Amino acid sequence: MKKILLLLLVILILAACSKEPSIDDTMLDSGLYFDQSIYEPEKYLVSAFNPSPTPEEALKPVIITIHGYGATTFEWDEFRSWAGNRDDFQISQVLLGGHGRDYQSFKSSTWKDWQKPIMEEYQKLEQQGYKNISLAGSSTGSTLIMEMLASGYFDQRLKPKHVFLIDPIIVPSNRLLSIAHVVGPFVGYTTVTNTGGEEKFYYNFRPQETLNELRKVINKVRRDLEDGIKLPAETTVRVFKADKDNVADPVSAVLIYKGIKTDNGAAIRVDMVPSRIHVFTRLNLRSEAPSAKDIENQRTAFTEIAAELLR
């Protein structure tokens, strides 16, 4: 009874708040800072940069990188910068549907909308003749990849060579997400504290509609993991998970480890990373300067991802 009364009190308090945020021109939410991949896809997507690969280029590894909820392609910029001018693999940075635009575009998008550009880039690469395609997701990007594996998306397609999951979210650290569908209509939106630089690359306001979509896809993938996800024979999965993550509970890694098996029933590899940073592979524009350990964690992850791509 006390829990019900507390919930009602929270709802009443939230109901008194405005349901539409006050957006200023410095924010991504304003629509003045569209993700650059929208205007210059050839700088981000291999399918746009090289739509007609030579037989040799078609065999070169391509890794599709996918950012998280409320973020943009910026989340994987450091991986591209780290890779520099190396030409032994190529990077395709995908912008999730409804992201990198204005607040209303984000508000009206569903998790299936978020996922669609991942599928589109994968299909384009396959149709163009690329033979060695891998995927890397951070946070919700990882969740969307796991949903594709569980739903049979790859059954009649070229199988991904490697899948890398960075701080995947299955169990949120903030338990309020589990009741987003209850309190959401009263709240309207939640606010995220971004730095002055981050606010141009990350939504500052999270509409309750999208929080509910996030809850739905997380719950779906959690059920998929409980039922078991069997990987294609050609595919490997590796998880990198911060051990003190205040967004994606570290138990997410346990559920993934138990729920995903190789085609012969073997366990996947899960690396617990000593970090408090959610998406520890993105260090730029954080409120605190990265420590030597943070930089080491990032470089280690990038180095090991690249090494596996070339195996």
Side-chain angles (χ1 to χ4, degrees):
M1 186 62 182
K2 288 182 179 179
K3 289 183 179 179
I4 294 175
L5 290 174
L6 179 60
L7 178 59
L8 288 173
L9 178 60
V10 170
I11 290 174
L12 288 172
I13 293 172
L14 294 174
C17 302
S18 169
K19 293 183 181 179
E20 289 295 327
S22 177
I23 299 171
D24 65 52
D25 291 349
T26 64
M27 301 175 178
L28 172 66
D29 314 60
S30 68
L32 298 177
Y33 297 94
F34 275 41
D35 190 275
Q36 200 60 32
S37 67
I38 296 172
Y39 302 114
E40 299 180 290
E42 68 280 358
K43 291 186 178 181
Y44 293 83
L45 301 176
V46 173
S47 66
F49 170 71
N50 189 12
S52 302
T54 65
E56 181 182 27
E57 290 170 336
L59 294 175
K60 188 180 297 185
V62 177
I63 182 167
I64 300 174
T65 60
I66 304 131
H67 63 81
Y69 167 81
T72 58
T73 56
F74 172 80
E75 200 154 79
W76 282 96
D77 278 357
E78 287 161 81
F79 181 53
R80 186 180 288 276
S81 295
W82 173 86
N85 295 322
R86 62 188 297 171
D87 61 0
D88 47 357
F89 67 88
Q90 301 180 84
I91 302 169
S92 231
Q93 288 172 265
V94 167
L95 178 67
L96 296 184
H99 287 65
R101 297 165 174 84
D102 58 276
Y103 176 82
Q104 291 301 325
S105 296
F106 187 35
K107 181 178 179 178
S108 63
S109 64
T110 68
W111 71 261
K112 290 186 178 181
D113 293 329
W114 308 343
Q115 189 184 62
K116 187 177 179 182
I118 308 171
M119 296 178 172
E120 290 176 341
E121 178 63 2
Y122 198 94
Q123 290 166 206
K124 285 180 182 178
L125 290 170
E126 183 180 7
Q127 291 165 358
Q128 291 166 354
Y130 289 94
K131 306 297 185 185
N132 188 335
I133 307 174
S134 296
L135 299 123
S138 51
S139 192
T140 303
S142 297
T143 312
L144 295 169
I145 294 172
M146 285 185 280
E147 197 285 330
M148 291 167 68
L149 289 167
S151 66
Y153 172 78
F154 299 105
D155 287 354
Q156 305 301 319
R157 298 188 179 282
L158 177 73
K159 307 301 185 285
K161 187 75 177 292
H162 302 288
V163 172
F164 304 96
L165 308 178
I166 308 293
D167 288 336
I169 182 167
I170 298 298
V171 178
S173 296
N174 185 348
R175 299 299 189 262
L176 285 178
L177 184 61
S178 64
I179 59 171
H181 60 303
V182 177
V183 301
F186 298 94
V187 179
Y189 65 92
T190 61
T191 304
V192 178
T193 302
N194 289 321
T195 65
E198 287 176 326
E199 66 180 3
K200 295 177 177 61
F201 299 103
Y202 293 83
Y203 283 110
N204 295 267
F205 301 107
R206 310 292 171 85
Q208 64 89 8
E209 292 87 352
T210 62
L211 289 170
N212 194 38
E213 290 297 314
L214 178 60
R215 179 189 64 84
K216 287 193 288 188
V217 70
I218 287 174
N219 287 347
K220 181 184 185 303
V221 174
R222 183 167 182 171
R223 291 192 297 270
D224 291 334
L225 290 168
E226 290 170 352
D227 292 338
I229 299 175
K230 183 179 179 180
L231 296 174
E234 304 90 334
T235 303
T236 71
V237 169
R238 185 169 177 186
V239 179
F240 295 87
K241 185 72 188 72
D243 62 0
K244 296 179 178 65
D245 190 333
N246 65 355
V247 176
D249 193 302
V251 77
S252 297
V254 177
L255 296 179
I256 294 169
Y257 179 77
K258 291 181 176 180
I260 300 180
K261 302 296 181 185
T262 66
D263 71 307
N264 60 8
I268 62 170
R269 179 172 175 179
V270 174
D271 295 332
M272 298 305 294
V273 179
S275 176
R276 295 181 177 275
I277 299 176
H278 180 60
V279 186
F280 70 91
T281 48
R282 194 274 292 183
L283 300 178
N284 287 344
L285 304 184
R286 297 278 186 180
S287 58
E288 295 182 13
S291 67
K293 186 60 179 176
D294 294 332
I295 295 171
E296 179 188 346
N297 288 339
Q298 183 195 64
R299 288 178 178 171
T300 298
F302 288 168
T303 299
E304 295 188 9
I305 288 172
E308 289 203 31
L309 286 175
L310 300 174
R311 284 177 189 160

